[in-house]
Amino acid sequence: MKKIFEVPLYPYVRSADQDAEKPARHKVVVVGAGPIGLAAAIELAMQDIEVVVVDDNDKVSWGSRAVCYAKRPLEILDRLGCGDRFVDKAVEWNIGKVFFDERQVYQFDLLPEDGHKRPAFINLQQYYFEEYLVDRVKALQAEGKSIELRGGNKVVHVENHDDHATLDLLTKDGAYKIEADWVIACDGASSPIRGMLGLDFVGRIFEDNFLIADVVMDAEFPTERWFWFDPPFNRGQSALLHKQPDNVWRIDLQLGWDIDKEEEQKPENVIPRLKAMLGEDVNFELEWVSIYTFQCRRMEQFHKGRVIFAGDSAHQVSPFGARGANSGLQDTDNLVWKLKLIMDGKAPLSLLDTYDQERIYGADENILNSSRATDFITPKSHVSRVFRDAVLNLAEKADFARPLVNSGRLSVPCTYDESSLNGPNHQDMPARTRPGSPASDAPLKGGEWLLDKLGNKFQLLAINTDVPASMNVDGIEISALTLNSGDDVSGFVKERYLGEAAGAVYLMRPDQHVAARWDSFNEAEIIKAFNKVIGKTLEEVNS
């Protein structure tokens, strides 16, 4: 029986565009059918935007690759209509343990509070992630949405024009050309599109290498994240162990900088390392092996003309902290609603600049945390190593030292504190739901969840306050979700949204980030804040 990553899921089929007399024009072309490209295309289709996805491959990725997905991306997947399938298949975990030598020195809980629909993290192989998104694409096609997935279509040239971009594609039947109002490049860390436009990354490449292996085995390790500093089976280096579905375990072993990568990936060299870690009596089978080098880099700007970059094509971080795919999903979540407003003529083209502003802010936050983790995991000097080892020794018994332990700060959603789209902030309400922050989930009566009811549109969230059922501002509807104390079955709505205030009105963006908040309804203030969110100038907002 063939494994999922060996089976074509979107095989090459000749399209009508290849026989057209002149290049066909599409609304959006997404380059890359990985997790980020597929998520972008699904969101576009759900917003009734015609989209074509092209990829030179025809099947999902081999190996687990991106494996850890945080609560925030799971909430995004819920809005894409496929979150349940991911969680049902995945391994859920909240607990992480840190070891120094053979001693456990630290333990953490990523979701110490109740009242959330989704777990702190799941582990799921990337090939399942991509398969489920491909299935969601097919479901949308069955619903009549204009979304097309073309395998075996390699982009070999991209060119920007004033109101569109052109793409040259190569297939087994030859070359052809298409046009797109917009191109979203989700073509990975090496991004050929980025190279075609003469763009590059800025940042750091760390002088270290890590072996990653997917190992199939029956083991009694708990469903937790285990990280070792200087373990006896990999002296002077580090190691990481994670459980995945189907008895597949993800193992990362630090190797150092001056290595022969081809030699280190050979089974005869990998297996002894794994036996030293797992024990001679443990039976296992290698499923996938690779070696990666740390990079913490990003583009200086995430869009160039009609081409927009998202995910690894726009930014890279080290894998420790699970920030790659998680931040990529937040890229597309931030982008699509803005692009729709621009395409519908409801917002100025300059709104796209706030995609750069907000997601570069998120990328810099990830790069900072990832760089700090990498420097702690791989000290670059004798003094740095002495400091790190002292912290690890102290962490075993001293609470003050534990926040200094950095085995990879795990991905958290970005709060856009400095965003130009943020409106008024009522100070008596909790800091966790201030403007720029992602909405926090809470259980409601009838077994419902707050984020499910918010959806992916502009909304007023009114708590213990009367608001109109809907508002219409320049042809854009702002619907209302009204809650009272009877809906707040566990008190989490009050804790997370009201604080000391008796009532609240939140203006929510389609990506479920808070735009503004007040303690009562004021139509003029809401319209002013809404106009700011859709990118109108200060003069337009005040008019």
Side-chain angles (χ1 to χ4, degrees):
M1 181 177 179
K2 287 189 175 181
K3 295 183 178 180
I4 182 63
F5 46 77
E6 298 173 340
V7 180
L9 290 186
Y10 41 97
Y12 168 76
V13 176
R14 188 177 181 87
S15 73
D17 290 357
Q18 292 168 257
D19 300 312
E21 292 184 5
K22 62 179 183 178
R25 182 76 165 258
H26 297 282
K27 292 292 185 182
V28 180
V29 172
V30 175
V31 182
I36 312 309
L38 291 171
I42 290 167
E43 176 69 7
L44 288 162
M46 292 177 66
Q47 296 287 347
D48 294 319
I49 299 173
E50 182 249 347
V51 57
V52 176
V53 184
V54 296
D55 198 302
D56 58 345
N57 204 348
D58 61 2
K59 57 181 72 70
V60 300
S61 300
W62 178 37
S64 64
R65 299 178 183 271
V67 64
C68 299
Y69 300 96
K71 186 169 76 70
R72 175 64 178 168
L74 295 178
E75 293 162 353
I76 294 171
L77 290 169
D78 280 337
R79 277 182 277 129
L80 297 183
C82 49
D84 284 343
R85 192 171 181 195
F86 287 83
V87 176
D88 290 347
K89 176 65 177 178
V91 172
E92 298 182 19
W93 65 278
N94 294 339
I95 301 297
K97 293 179 179 176
V98 177
F99 302 86
F100 183 33
D101 195 353
E102 296 182 282
R103 296 173 288 123
Q104 180 182 325
V105 297
Y106 181 52
Q107 176 174 315
F108 57 85
D109 186 344
L110 293 170
L111 194 62
E113 61 180 14
D114 295 325
H116 295 269
K117 177 182 176 181
R118 292 309 184 194
F121 267 86
I122 64 168
N123 287 354
L124 184 70
Q125 294 93 317
Q126 185 169 320
Y127 46 81
Y128 283 128
F129 197 109
E130 293 181 18
E131 178 195 9
Y132 298 164
L133 290 181
V134 170
D135 287 347
R136 180 63 178 144
V137 168
K138 294 176 180 177
L140 289 169
Q141 291 171 336
E143 295 173 15
K145 299 293 186 182
S146 185
I147 180 170
E148 185 181 352
L149 180 52
R150 298 182 184 175
N153 279 247
K154 181 179 181 179
V155 178
V156 293
H157 183 69
V158 173
E159 188 171 336
N160 260 311
H161 303 274
D162 288 342
D163 65 347
H164 71 285
T166 56
L167 301 95
D168 293 344
L169 298 110
L170 185 63
T171 74
K172 65 181 183 181
D173 288 335
Y176 71 107
K177 186 187 295 286
I178 57 175
E179 297 177 348
D181 292 349
W182 295 95
V183 174
I184 303 178
C186 304
D187 53 341
S190 59
S191 184
I193 302 295
R194 194 176 62 236
M196 293 171 197
L197 294 178
L199 304 172
D200 202 358
F201 276 166
V202 293
R204 297 173 63 187
I205 299 177
F206 291 85
E207 295 186 356
D208 216 330
N209 294 288
F210 279 75
L211 171 77
I212 55 176
D214 284 348
V215 176
V216 182
M217 65 177 175
D218 290 318
E220 297 181 359
F221 301 113
T223 307
E224 300 169 345
R225 179 188 192 263
W226 285 10
F227 192 99
W228 287 266
F229 291 94
D230 197 16
F233 54 82
N234 197 29
R235 278 298 180 203
Q237 309 288 2
S238 62
L240 176 67
L241 177 69
H242 262 301
K243 185 178 182 180
Q244 303 174 79
D246 306 332
N247 289 323
V248 177
W249 295 77
R250 169 74 172 268
I251 296 173
D252 294 47
L253 293 172
Q254 184 182 2
L255 299 180
W257 180 245
D258 189 17
I259 64 168
D260 185 325
K261 292 184 180 181
E262 289 189 10
E263 281 296 315
E264 292 291 350
Q265 292 184 78
K266 292 180 178 178
E268 60 266 31
N269 293 320
V270 174
I271 290 173
R273 289 184 179 275
L274 297 179
K275 283 185 176 291
M277 177 182 184
L278 302 170
E280 290 290 336
D281 296 332
V282 175
N283 293 319
F284 61 85
E285 176 185 343
L286 289 177
E287 182 177 85
W288 178 66
V289 174
S290 183
I291 289 178
Y292 63 82
T293 301
F294 282 170
Q295 298 188 37
C296 290
R297 306 190 294 171
R298 67 164 173 85
M299 297 178 67
E300 293 183 315
Q301 186 177 350
F302 285 5
H303 79 282
K304 179 72 171 178
R306 289 279 163 159
V307 181
I308 307 166
F309 295 84
D312 285 351
S313 68
H315 47 77
Q316 287 179 267
V317 291
S318 65
F320 293 119
R323 297 174 182 277
N326 286 294
S327 62
L329 286 171
Q330 292 174 73
D331 288 348
T332 59
D333 192 47
N334 184 285
L335 170 65
V336 170
W337 67 271
K338 296 174 180 178
L339 193 58
K340 178 175 173 57
L341 287 172
I342 293 168
M343 295 177 73
D344 289 348
K346 302 292 186 182
L349 191 61
S350 58
L351 182 60
L352 192 58
D353 293 335
T354 70
Y355 169 68
D356 278 12
Q357 178 194 56
E358 293 183 336
R359 292 314 300 157
I360 286 176
Y361 179 84
D364 285 346
E365 183 178 272
N366 283 329
I367 287 171
L368 175 63
N369 284 299
S370 187
S371 297
R372 286 174 174 172
T374 304
D375 286 336
F376 192 86
I377 292 167
T378 61
K380 302 303 183 292
S381 69
H382 174 71
V383 172
S384 296
R385 182 173 290 275
V386 169
F387 170 78
R388 188 203 70 180
D389 292 354
V391 167
L392 292 169
N393 279 317
L394 285 168
E396 188 172 7
K397 295 181 180 179
D399 289 344
F400 80 88
R402 288 167 188 161
L404 299 175
V405 175
N406 194 340
S407 62
R409 300 274 190 252
L410 275 299
S411 175
V412 295
C414 183
T415 296
Y416 306 127
D417 278 316
E418 305 300 323
S419 175
S420 61
L421 304 185
N422 290 346
N425 175 26
H426 196 284
Q427 295 296 325
D428 288 343
M429 298 171 191
R432 69 190 292 171
T433 46
R434 63 192 182 275
S437 65
S440 184
D441 208 0
L444 304 176
K445 70 177 182 181
E448 295 186 296
W449 292 92
L450 176 57
L451 296 190
D452 287 342
K453 292 180 74 67
L454 282 176
N456 59 350
K457 56 188 175 182
F458 286 109
Q459 276 190 303
L460 294 180
L461 170 60
I463 306 167
N464 299 339
T465 304
D466 292 330
V467 299
S470 67
M471 297 173 59
N472 191 293
V473 182
D474 294 335
I476 303 173
E477 183 184 8
I478 308 173
S479 60
L481 172 62
T482 303
L483 305 176
N484 55 48
S485 56
D487 298 303
D488 188 13
V489 292
S490 301
F492 288 116
V493 173
K494 174 176 173 52
E495 175 188 317
R496 295 167 187 173
Y497 288 88
L498 283 180
E500 299 302 317
V505 177
Y506 281 75
L507 175 60
M508 305 300 302
R509 302 172 7 169
D511 57 3
Q512 293 188 352
H513 278 254
V514 176
R517 61 184 186 180
W518 306 263
D519 63 348
S520 62
F521 176 75
N522 183 310
E523 183 175 6
E525 285 295 312
I526 289 170
I527 291 174
K528 183 185 292 187
F530 176 77
N531 283 331
K532 189 177 184 183
V533 173
I534 63 173
K536 289 190 176 181
T537 64
L538 184 62
E539 291 76 14
E540 291 173 309
V541 168
N542 290 330
S543 65

